[in-house]
Amino acid sequence: MSKRKVKNDHMPVGECITQVQKILRERLCHQQLPQKLVGVEAQHKHLLELLKRTAIHGESNSVLIVGPRGAGKTMLLKCVLRDLLEEKEVQKNLLQVYLNGLLQTDDRIALKEITRQLHLENVVGDRVFGSFAENLAFLLDALKKGDRSSSCPVLFILDEFDLFAHHKNQTLLYNLFDVSQSAQAPIAVVGLTCRLDVLELLEKRVKSRFSHRQIHLLSSLTFSQYLDQVQAQLSLAHDFPDTKFAEDWNAGIKTLCEDKSVEEVLQKHFNSSKDFRSKHMLLMLCLSRVSVANPAIKPADVLEASRLCLADAKANMLHGLSILELCLIIAMKHLNDIYEGEPFNLQMVHNEFKKFLQRKSNSMYNYDQPVVMKAFEHLQQLELIRPVDGSLAKTQREYQLMRLMLDHSQIMESLQKYPQCPTDVKQWAMSAFG
Amino acid sequence: MTYFTRQRVRRVYKWRGEPLSFNRKLKTYEYSSLAISVEGLARATIITTGQHILIEGEDDDNPYVARVVRLFGDESGKQKKAVVQWFVRVSEVPPFKLKLLGRKPHPQEIFYYQGRSCDDEVDAESILRPVQVKRLVGAAPFPDSDDKDTLYVKLSWDSKTFKVMESEPSLASSPPACPKPSLPPSPPCSPPAAALASRAPPRHVLPTPDPAVMRRATSGEVRCNGATMSTGKAGAMEAESLHSATKLSASKCLSSKRRNASARTPGVRKKLELCSPEKMTRDDMLLQLLDKELEKEAMLVQRPPSSPLHTLDLVERLTPIRRAHRAPVAKDAVPVTPSTLVINKLSASEMDSPPSSARDDSTRTRDGHAGASVSPQQGDETEAELLMGSFKTPKRRNATPGRSYALRGQTAEVDDENSPVLPAAITPRGSKRKSAQLVSSRIRKQLNLLDTQDLSSDGDDEDEFLPSKKEQQSSSEEEEAGLDSEEEVVMKRGRHTAAGSHTPRSKRKTRSSMRTPRKTPSKKTTPSTPRTPRHATPSIPSRSLPARQPANVLEEARERLHVSSVPESLPCREQEFQDIYSFVESRIIDGTGGCMYISGVPGTGKTATVHEVMRCLQRAADEDEIPPFHFIEINGMKMTDPHQAYVQVLQKLTGQKATADHAAALLEKRFDNPAPRKETTVLLVDELDLLWTRKQNVMYNLFDWPTRRHARLVVLTIANTMDLPERIMINRVASRLGLTRMSFQPYSFKQLQQIIMSRLNKAKAFEEDALQLVSRKVAALSGDARRCLDICRRATEICEHSATGLVGMSHVMEALNEMFSSSYIMAIKCASVQEQLFLRAVIAEFRRLGLEEATFQQVFVQHQALCRVEGLKPISVSEGLAVCQRLGACRLLLLEPSHLGVMQRIRLNVSQDDVLYALKAD
């Protein structure tokens, strides 16, 4: 490969584009670990030292990493583990157990998973665990048999830690923390959660056993840092086969980031969330517009991607409705205005619609009750309207009370874009009352 | 239920000759010998002082061994007592202590008991028969004899160490502990005492349809069968009738209880008269041989080939037929009423209950899979197999006794013929023949199996048994194979003798084949099982490199401050320690039971104090200051279901595994029945509140057992809340828990300071002020010592970074902030612009509504307005919902389920002031 690289310094553009797509997609989707963490050095150091002490000194620890979604909790942990495993001494010693609150939904499954990941099932041959109780006793015995200096430290990583707190009696957490606070096999319990109030979920005896170490991961990212990140993430590294293309690409990215309109779009995204996932989503959409015909990311691409990202889902759905359905929605909006958000039923909506037909309509004519009914049901299926709680049971469908699940702004926005919308319908929608 | 009584052979104990002396004070007569005869038979076994005897114990296969020192009785002659010197069998020595021996114990080896925890006065009516004991000097090898009735003594055992026995421990020196006969004055039944006697279930005699009766019936069945068959043999098998229960005097009951109490583990007192050769008559020898034979046979009876047969076998036992024969009868015995069947099941399940010795336990734990249907037979099989594994010469051992077998066979036959008691006709002949066929076919099968293996090569055998990861089934097959090697020999004999199809023959054949398995249990004094891997708990693999030791003062301090490090002492809990200590100690010394409830908030040292007490008591027990006791611990949080408590207690107590219901029944029996040599059990129940069930039967049982007469159980319970008994327990449970309560107060700041100081143990790592700050802060918050230690640990870490020598105020402050400061404000500060705006919109909407709740739609209107004010582009509804969800995920907002969309209601999870503060500071 390297030979080829030297020979073909200039690859055809198509191949370059494919390469770019491949590299950048991997970067954005596989969430490659950055070489160096920005902004969370202190947390990194704290966690690294903590885990190192477990791995090397056999000291049991427990810690929670708390931060909002997309703040980089997992990335921090992975970076720490990568750095930790660079040490030979640690590499040979550390056992890791990954649990996820979304997968291990109760302690029974969690225990099985722990046993599997620790390869303890091999020790007993193909012994099948009879019961949950046996499994627990078995695991606790195994952990109890170890001691600080001689057994292998075990690292327990509990992703979505808060969900483990909902398990019955919090048995698993109690036992893990209890082991970490007693002279048994050295373990480190690392919990990842986005809930700030996670400690309040713990029962008092579980809480007492937890060491109360919390690493808060709150991104104090500024916009300039955000811009830098975007630029870095789109730039190509020096080892790209075609150096010339890479240089051009990087220059293009640089100008792109300095572009006023692009900056504005990014600012909007930044204001909305600092979550790295939404950023990656935006960049992915930009990247997918790159092709041979369009070999660089242009500001227009970014704008288009942003528009796609920020598009309102419900308003988009309104575009697919028939005129009758749209009219019903408008009628509902008027009813909402008149009765200040009180629920309505089909009959009321139909009457409102008929009033409109009598007074203003010249393009629309009346539909039969069954047709209106069908349209109404379709709206319900799309969850644009939903029945009021508890009114489902006895009432006839025509009189069932409903609520509109749309905001007025959404209706107005979609009306603007609705293809070939009759003007009288538009006017009706815009008018203050009926 | 009266069947049971008929089943038994009654033994009669009589003094022989005139009393030697009369003790005026105690009104006891001393005798030189005792005659034991089976009712209806002329022959009698004579027990004289100085003779070695077997005493009935909890394990019918391994009766206790002792030597008679003195025989005495009261004036009325109703009570017969014996002062004995105990010997301990290998199986009675705890397995972990056996390691001290430094060699493999001989199966026939016994140890001269020098401990003091056993009462050496026994009820003479528990004497089974004489036994031969030989003393071996120093390094003399164990003779390779096959005589199973000869026991060898080499060393003495004082419940801690093995010692070489001083030559000929004199008679006079041996009974130092309690030589005083404890018989009450002759009219033994004073009214209250009598009442007592009737209330307490006596050990040997079972008066009512008690589950214990049934257990006895089933477990004692071996003996009964043997006895009925042997007929001519007086000393061999004991049997007692129900009627004797009525005669049982209070004192007898008491003494038997005492014996039981003193008896349980290696702690039997014994004495040995080494020089005196066994004064066994030829008769005695013959009797012994016979006895053994019968025992073996009985064993086989107990060991049918498959489980259905087994249960049916039990059915048969219930019937008045004296001769419990092998399974095939069962088919005829079908018309048993369902009710009896139920009883049988019960007894079957109880069969494994006999508070088993360590030996049994090891096998049972493994058999635990079989659940309630575990039968002793399985255990025996294992043992047989174990023996095969551990002994080098199984074949030779079995092969040699051929001649003696023949002899025994003859005697047995003779017995059969002239025994009047033996109603051979009761069991249908056909069935007997069937049984014979069954057995022989089985043996043939096994022989075939054996031929494929090389029997004589022991190495192979051992290999066979070593592998750990074998399935239960395959191993049991092997076990059988192991057995077969023994059965083979017998089989040969059986074939020889088999001639003609008379019932006696087939009977004998059955019997001869039955004999073999019995042989193994008689040798089962090998307690160390080579197949531990089977039930070994796996452990975390050990690390390749040893853990590093702390390098500097701070690291050392951190290690000492870790909650897991066990401190040398527990400061600040002296009073509580003292109270618990004296409570438990007094219960152990008195041999009574009791409950104690300990409460206190988490981290106040409840469990640690109890553990410390137990350590101290254990030390005291090791130094013989108090009687030995058994400490077990369960934790409500470490079990999946309250009923698992039974399982765990049973497993820790005996090593058995059972289902919850079964375990409860076994424990009930264990604590309800008097058993010999019982130690006090101290049970610590941590996190008691987790054992709550709707019926509260787990708690009820835990607190009820200590009140039982024979339980000797001390229960210490720990929970967090002080008023737990009043709050969650129903009256009958709370009443049993009693009023012995103790509450651990949260530590005060001075105490916390002292704890840290004592942990640090002069390692100078903290500034004085820093310590005080930590302890004051924690004392004000919770008084949780764990918290205090954690903060100190964190402070040392922070200090390490800043590279100053001592941990100072600033470090502690930082650690405190890290742990206790709320993260909400920081989180709001770090939130994105739209998220902050949304929070403001929420507050604005709340103010407008005057409520603490609003729908998203309402808030969103505010949000749009705020966006315009701030000069930002209004966001779409989808975006707004996303922002709202993000805040909800952090729990800054509390939200309804998201499928409600714009209609979902929103609440703040932080105070409005906090939000405003955080946003203003921005």
Side-chain angles (χ1 to χ4, degrees), chain B residues 5 133 150 187 243 336 433 521 569 606 622-623 716 754 766 813 868:
Chain B
T5 65
V133 174
T150 312
H243 313 302
V336 183
R433 205 168 302 141
S569 68
K606 301 176 295 295
D622 287 346
E623 284 159 16
L716 302 173
Q754 204 182 332
F766 278 81
M813 280 302 281
R868 273 176 226 115

Side-chain angles (χ1 to χ4, degrees), chain A residues 49 53 55 60 205 208 210, chain B residues 543 562 786-787 797 801:
Chain A
E49 279 181 4
R53 276 205 305 278
S60 292
R205 49 194 150 205
S208 166
F210 170 56
Chain B
R543 51 192 299 151
H562 198 282
R786 291 195 187 104
R787 203 64 328 99
E797 285 168 24
H801 293 170

Side-chain angles (χ1 to χ4, degrees), chain B residues 69 83-85 112 120 170-179 269 271:
Chain B
V69 175
V83 175
V84 295
Q85 164 61 45
Y112 180 80
D120 57 3
S170 67
L171 242 165
S173 69
S174 49
C178 47
R269 287 196 194 135
K271 178 181 319 145

Side-chain angles (χ1 to χ4, degrees), chain B residues 408-635:
Chain B
R408 286 180 212 172
Q410 270 171 19
T411 46
E413 202 167 69
V414 169
D415 277 342
D416 286 350
E417 270 152 27
N418 46 4
S419 83
V421 205
L422 209 153
I426 290 179
T427 38
R429 295 198 172 192
S431 74
K432 241 180 265 168
R433 205 168 302 141
K434 239 186 273 167
S435 82
Q437 279 162 6
L438 212 144
V439 170
S440 66
S441 74
R442 184 161 160 250
I443 289 169
R444 221 168 291 132
K445 225 189 293 165
Q446 286 161 348
L447 272 176
N448 291 341
L449 213 151
L450 265 179
D451 287 346
T452 55
Q453 298 174 354
D454 187 1
L455 220 188
S456 56
S457 79
D458 308 316
D460 281 5
D461 270 3
E462 271 185 17
D463 284 350
E464 291 280 352
F465 300 122
L466 276 177
S468 55
K469 293 176 189 174
K470 286 229 161 102
E471 281 288 67
Q472 168 85 22
Q473 209 184 350
S474 71
S475 69
S476 72
E477 232 175 63
E478 266 175 88
E479 280 155 22
E480 269 176 44
L483 255 185
D484 298 342
S485 66
E486 295 179 343
E487 279 187 29
E488 175 198 40
V489 180
V490 178
M491 184 51 206
K492 276 178 196 154
R493 203 187 68 82
R495 278 192 191 142
H496 289 314
T497 45
S501 58
H502 297 290
T503 13
R505 183 200 65 91
S506 68
K507 205 180 3 179
R508 186 149 43 93
K509 192 176 161 193
T510 336
R511 191 186 289 175
S512 64
S513 58
M514 281 166 169
R515 185 178 298 136
T516 36
R518 179 62 189 96
K519 219 163 115 193
T520 32
S522 71
K523 293 176 280 172
K524 68 179 139 199
T525 27
T526 45
S528 64
T529 54
R531 53 162 57 243
T532 32
R534 165 71 61 84
H535 39 88
T537 49
S539 59
I540 306 296
S542 55
R543 51 192 299 151
S544 51
L545 293 163
R548 250 188 236 164
Q549 291 305 309
N552 58 34
V553 181
L554 283 175
E555 281 183 11
E556 196 187 333
R558 204 179 304 136
E559 191 187 329
R560 284 168 183 281
L561 287 172
H562 198 282
V563 186
S564 70
S565 72
V566 180
E568 295 88 28
S569 68
L570 280 176
C572 313
R573 286 294 179 224
E574 290 84 6
Q575 185 56 47
E576 287 84 354
F577 176 88
Q578 199 52 49
D579 289 354
I580 300 174
Y581 187 92
S582 49
F583 175 82
V584 180
E585 189 191 32
S586 68
R587 294 303 187 285
I588 291 175
I589 290 173
D590 299 349
T592 52
C595 288
M596 186 179 210
Y597 176 73
I598 301 167
S599 65
V601 292
T604 48
K606 301 176 295 295
T607 312
T609 307
V610 173
H611 278 144
E612 185 69 16
V613 166
M614 286 307 145
R615 268 196 295 277
C616 288
L617 284 170
Q618 202 71 59
R619 223 173 293 138
D622 287 346
E623 284 159 16
D624 274 338
E625 284 159 15
I626 56 166
F629 64 97
H630 199 97
F631 173 58
I632 53 176
E633 184 186 1
I634 57 172
N635 187 327

Side-chain angles (χ1 to χ4, degrees), chain A residues 49 53 55 59-60 89 142 145 148 150 152 169 174-175 178 205 208 210 213 271-273 405, chain B residues 537-538 541 543-544 548 559 562 638 687 689-690 784 786-787 793 797 801 824 832 834 878 886 900:
Chain A
E49 279 181 4
R53 276 205 305 278
E59 180 187 298
S60 292
E89 195 180 345
K145 269 179 109 186
R148 197 191 136 142
S150 65
C152 226
N169 288 344
Y174 178 92
N175 285 307
D178 197 52
R205 49 194 150 205
S208 166
F210 170 56
R213 278 168 200 273
N271 282 347
S272 164
S273 92
M405 302 296 290
Chain B
T537 49
R543 51 192 299 151
S544 51
R548 250 188 236 164
E559 191 187 329
H562 198 282
K638 293 188 178 170
E687 314 293 359
D689 48 333
L690 267 293
D784 187 336
R786 291 195 187 104
R787 203 64 328 99
R793 234 152 48 87
E797 285 168 24
H801 293 170
Y824 287 119
S832 69
Q834 293 291 354
S878 288
R886 273 200 295 274
L900 292 173

